[in-house]
Amino acid sequence: MWKATNEKPLFWIGLSKKDLLALPAEVRKVFGFAPGLAQNRDKHLKAKTLKGFGSAGVVEIVED
């Protein structure tokens, strides 16, 4: 059953979408799934909280 979420809109900056699409499929899956988890206050295994942003909850997603 589909459930509506409160996810924020995604905005592509510069060539970010083109760069993402150039990556291997497995890497794209991580970068596509992890932000959704972060918006729902969960954290992907490949994500870490960045320091220096106060309580903003900025998350970095890292994949080889």
Side-chain angles (χ1 to χ4, degrees):
M1 181 165 149
W2 184 79
K3 180 180 167 184
T5 64
N6 293 325
E7 289 185 1
K8 300 199 183 331
L10 174 65
F11 298 97
W12 298 99
I13 298 173
L15 296 174
S16 58
K17 184 174 184 180
K18 180 181 175 185
D19 292 342
L20 176 66
L21 294 175
L23 296 171
E26 290 301 315
V27 176
R28 287 194 315 263
K29 286 179 187 177
V30 170
F31 286 119
F33 185 62
L37 288 175
Q39 285 194 2
N40 290 298
R41 300 179 189 263
D42 203 352
K43 195 163 111 177
H44 192 277
L45 295 173
K46 301 279 186 166
K48 66 178 185 177
T49 303
L50 285 177
K51 299 189 183 338
F53 291 91
S55 62
V58 177
V59 177
E60 177 183 26
I61 304 163
V62 181
E63 178 65 288
D64 292 333

